[in-house]
Amino acid sequence: MKKLLKNDGFQSLLASLICILLGLLIGYIVLLFINPAGAWEAITTVIKNFLTYNRKDSQLKYLGNTLVKTAPLLMCSLSILFSYKVGLFNIGAAGQYCIGIACSLYCALALKLPWWVCALAAMAGGAVAGSISGLLKSYCNVNEVISGIMLNWIILYLTNMLLNGVKESASPYTKEVAGTSAASVLPTLGLGKLLSDNKYVGLSIPLAILLAVAIWIILEKTKFGYELRATGGNKNAAKYAGMAEKRNIIVTLAISGALAGLGAAMLYLTSYEQWNCSSSSVPGMGFNGIAAAFLGGLNPIGAILSSFFIQHITAGGAYVDKKLYCAQISDLISSFIIYLCGFVFFMKLMMNKRLAKREEAAARKALAEKESKGGEVK
Amino acid sequence: MDTPYIIEMLHITKRFPGIIANDDVTLQLKRGEIHALLGENGAGKSTLMSVLFGLYQAEEGEIHMNGKKVEINDPNDANALGIGMVHQHFKLVECFSVLDNIILGVESTKGGFLQKDEARKKVMALSEKYGLHVDPDAKIEDITVGMQQRTEILKMLYRENDILIFDEPTAVLTPQEIKELMQIMKNLAAEGKSILFISHKLAEIMEVADRCSVLRKGKYIGTVETKNTTMEELSAMMVGRNVNFHVDKKPSEPGKPVLEVKNMTVASKVHKNNAVKNVSLTVRAGEIVCLAGIDGNGQTEFVYGLTGLEPLVSGTITLCGEDITKAKIRERSLKGMSHIPEDRHKHGLVLDYSLEDNLVLQRYFEPEFTNKAGFLRRDNIRSYADRLIEEYDIRSGQGPITKARAMSGGNQQKAIIAREIDKKPELLVAVQPTRGLDVGAIEGVHKSLIEQRDAGKAVLLVSLELDEVMDVPDRILVMYEGEIVGELDPKATTQEELGLYMAGAKRDEVKA
């Protein structure tokens, strides 16, 4: 048991679970304040998500919808954690995701290119956005958080401008990809059939999981990952050891950007969502990626689970009874939980402190016993 | 007031996760005495003083003042009780004047405006009384380390502190400045101030202190009157065994030049002048050359320029006959330069990496450790690490997978030395390789350096420790304000002469 408690992976898992429970608890308390009558039902609805449906096929279908949005979230969280390992906080993931939307939808709707070209364009767009932050960081010492936030706004309005040409005439939303350019829709690989013919389910889910594993391998097993983590751990030491730390920063942010951009393509090329050309903020997906990355203990494999969980409760929030609570309540509850998810490392620190204290007390006790037994005092 | 003790720290125990920094330590300071606190690095001296100054709270034990129990929860409490401290790293605002630094936090104001005239008078009076010469209007960044230290002392006196703590005050001073400080401390004690003086330098303790308390590995060993003891006895108390102060070595047999630096100039990061000015030097195979000097005279920048961490303004560097002035850090390393960095935490290690990953930090890209597809060859890394750990006696909790952060400073240093020596360099640049190590570990490091020399390698040692400068190298070059001001033969010179060069009081025209 003691050994298990000291295991790093187990600690991360435990800390994540504690954070989730705390988040749910606070969410529940807030619901109690607003309207005590429906609080319990509301919080269970959030946790149940697609399980609120009684029929098996409905359940499967809505599980499918949650999965469709899990894929882009996972990509954003991979984008965040990949830079984080290199000591960079890629808050620009939100903008990189947004430029991914712009590139993929423009290629699909205006140029009617095949899906894989659209996806590559999204990756390229994200990579360019990421490398701008990287270049500024490396050569002008501009903090990547500042440049990332600025770029988020620039990209948002560029996206609105670019996609204005491919929107429906009667609404601010872009045309549906499926109806405009069938070749641009992500292949479903027949996966939708497993989930009550959910037409949005497809390539994105296995691809995102595959990429998570690939990121893990790159970071942990390769020379490239060794260099990147060394740069993140101590960039002075990386420089001292002759690593090209400036190049590594740019490459890292470019890869992060490509991941976030691809995440956008994974969602928008399924036609599940359309872009609102009068949006006044970047999609929250990139920011939720931060929570997913931390909740997953900054481990790509952990990110698969945490992304699913966060998407699960976000979707679950939509089922809360709107007669008892206002429409924003679903977002509020999930934000509480997501907010608490950021505390995983704080939890881990607290656990380690407790362990160290306990061990010390035990050691002292053992020593005292030894001395009282009449053993020689050294 | 029936006790002769102004401060008593009784049975203090302070723990940090995994370590007991102070274990039932008792320290009694008499009124008007200079009391030295002696111990190796990591013995718990600084922790004990931090407890007294309110930076840490002890888990067990009491602090008494004039026989009455007091609670010190933060430095403000300590200040209120008249306890002042000069930290090892000064706590001064660089861009403020001396006067502003002294009154900082206790400024007298009238209607929201500073009233500096009165403060100036008081500071000047204090400065006169104790012989603490400062220029009240000079900015901290422009004055010498010695004057900065006097500013710190005046800060304590201005607050009318009676108990003064000096945390290793001589580490940054020249021998002459040290003498001056000793005199100041004696003056202060004569005026009734009580002084706690943390040091691991025996000669200073013998000269200035009345009594000396010794800590070893967090435990209280004893208190002795300095007039009744010897340096040998103190050092045996400090390390728990008799120490060989002398470094044994054969005469050197210098061969052909390995490193030739010509007219190197390096810009400074902190001020507009160049930190290294037109420095030329040569290091031959089979000799140890020491670059000596007081901290901050350009040695750090010289090493940065030499190893490629900072660009040169001008000059050339030749390694084994090859011009490496423009070479990248990696190229210099591959061409036979090894670098034991000054700050092992800043440059030497990735603290969150395991020991084995740190041991291959300079070689991970070689085919032995990375295959053609770019994957690390973990098995080879492990066996390589196992060999170095065995050969260089690097001790750690879990062997090769121990996180570097969890290792002791001495073993971290051993790991760096193993890594740098094992790549078989032609030139070993060792910057303060014994900083923060205990006496036993220092012996080991010196032995490794001399082994390298005897194996026909060139060694450039940069050191601030006078004993090391005198004992280890075959030649000494003294650096002062970015220039080499003297070349000395360690066998023919004295610490006093060396001190004069280090302080800039004496200089020769040196041809490298």
Side-chain angles (χ1 to χ4, degrees), chain B residues 173-219:
Chain B
L173 302 181
T174 64
Q176 281 75 14
E177 281 178 314
I178 291 172
K179 254 186 201 145
E180 223 173 295
L181 175 69
M182 299 282 143
Q183 191 52 49
I184 291 167
M185 287 169 72
K186 284 177 186 163
N187 292 350
L188 290 167
E191 291 284 337
K193 307 280 184 194
S194 313
I195 296 177
L196 270 168
F197 170 49
I198 306 178
S199 182
H200 54 196
K201 294 186 185 163
L202 300 168
E204 290 164 10
I205 291 176
M206 293 302 286
E207 189 194 330
V208 76
D210 300 309
R211 296 195 304 150
C212 176
S213 292
V214 184
L215 297 185
R216 190 200 312 152
K217 291 181 182 153
K219 289 200 166 66

Side-chain angles (χ1 to χ4, degrees), chain B residues 206-309:
Chain B
M206 293 302 286
E207 189 194 330
V208 76
D210 300 309
R211 296 195 304 150
C212 176
S213 292
V214 184
L215 297 185
R216 190 200 312 152
K217 291 181 182 153
K219 289 200 166 66
Y220 173 68
I221 302 300
T223 301
V224 290
E225 304 251 347
T226 47
K227 58 175 186 281
N228 299 333
T229 188
T230 60
M231 274 170 55
E232 283 71 25
E233 192 190 341
L234 281 179
S235 76
M237 280 174 84
M238 172 164 82
V239 289
R241 63 183 166 89
N242 290 321
V243 178
N244 181 11
F245 285 108
H246 191 70
V247 179
D248 291 316
K249 62 170 199 248
K250 297 185 300 211
S252 73
E253 293 160 19
K256 60 178 191 333
V258 170
L259 173 73
E260 285 172 285
V261 175
K262 290 219 167 66
N263 308 102
M264 186 202 280
T265 298
V266 182
S268 167
K269 289 244 151 182
V270 287
H271 53 74
K272 287 187 197 79
N273 295 330
N274 287 322
V276 179
K277 298 164 198 155
N278 208 23
V279 165
S280 299
L281 60 81
T282 304
V283 186
R284 293 165 193 284
E287 72 168 349
I288 301 178
V289 174
C290 178
L291 200 55
I294 298 158
D295 199 8
N297 274 288
Q299 304 97 312
T300 304
E301 289 83 354
F302 175 80
V303 171
Y304 283 2
L306 177 63
T307 55
L309 284 165

Side-chain angles (χ1 to χ4, degrees), chain B residues 25-94:
Chain B
V25 174
T26 292
L27 179 72
Q28 295 172 303
L29 175 65
K30 282 183 188 164
R31 219 167 275 115
E33 77 166 339
I34 300 179
H35 193 122
L37 187 57
L38 173 68
E40 291 186 285
N41 286 294
K45 297 167 299 198
S46 292
T47 307
L48 188 65
M49 288 306 101
S50 299
V51 168
L52 179 58
F53 197 57
L55 293 168
Y56 296 138
Q57 271 67 52
E59 275 94 24
E60 286 162 38
E62 293 179 350
I63 300 175
H64 288 202
M65 185 173 218
N66 295 321
K68 274 195 277 303
K69 189 180 171 196
V70 289
E71 294 284 338
I72 303 177
N73 292 320
D74 56 48
N76 290 333
D77 290 351
N79 246 317
L81 293 169
I83 302 171
M85 182 160 176
V86 177
H87 296 268
Q88 201 173 349
H89 302 283
F90 304 147
K91 314 273 183 200
L92 296 168
V93 183
E94 291 268 308

Side-chain angles (χ1 to χ4, degrees), chain B residues 474-493:
Chain B
D474 303 306
R475 271 195 301 143
I476 304 171
L477 296 171
V478 185
M479 211 162 169
Y480 175 73
E481 294 197 332
E483 293 172 285
I484 290 183
V485 294
E487 173 171 348
L488 303 167
D489 177 356
K491 286 188 285 295
T493 188

Side-chain angles (χ1 to χ4, degrees), chain A residues 217 220-223 225-227 229-230 233-234 236-237 239-243 356 360 364, chain B residues 15-16 18 20 309 329-330 339 345-347 349 353 357 361-362 364 374-376 419-420:
Chain A
I217 291 174
E220 300 298 328
K221 301 285 175 200
T222 67
K223 180 186 105 174
Y226 175 91
E227 282 198 3
R229 285 182 299 123
N234 182 348
N236 291 314
K239 185 177 178 188
Y240 155 86
M243 298 173 190
E360 214 173 81
R364 283 188 74 79
Chain B
R15 297 185 196 95
F16 293 110
I20 303 177
L309 284 165
I329 297 172
R330 174 71 47 86
H339 175 197
H345 289 173
K346 184 176 177 193
H347 287 118
L349 296 166
Y353 265 15
D357 281 359
L361 195 62
Q362 301 275 24
Y364 65 93
F375 284 85
L376 292 175
R419 179 180 77 206
E420 297 304 318

Side-chain angles (χ1 to χ4, degrees), chain A residues 192-272:
Chain A
K193 290 212 171 61
L194 303 174
L195 299 167
S196 315
D197 278 330
N198 187 324
K199 62 178 171 167
Y200 304 114
V201 177
L203 175 68
S204 66
I205 297 149
L207 183 61
I209 292 174
L210 213 65
L211 283 169
V213 176
I215 292 289
W216 181 77
I217 291 174
I218 288 172
L219 280 173
E220 300 298 328
K221 301 285 175 200
T222 67
K223 180 186 105 174
F224 181 54
Y226 175 91
E227 282 198 3
L228 291 187
R229 285 182 299 123
T231 310
N234 182 348
K235 68 172 192 295
N236 291 314
K239 185 177 178 188
Y240 155 86
M243 298 173 190
E245 94 287 11
K246 286 193 164 129
R247 193 204 65 194
N248 283 351
I249 285 174
I250 300 167
V251 171
T252 302
L253 281 169
I255 291 178
S256 285
L259 289 170
L262 180 60
M266 283 179 175
L267 182 61
Y268 284 80
L269 292 181
T270 62
S271 301
Y272 183 85

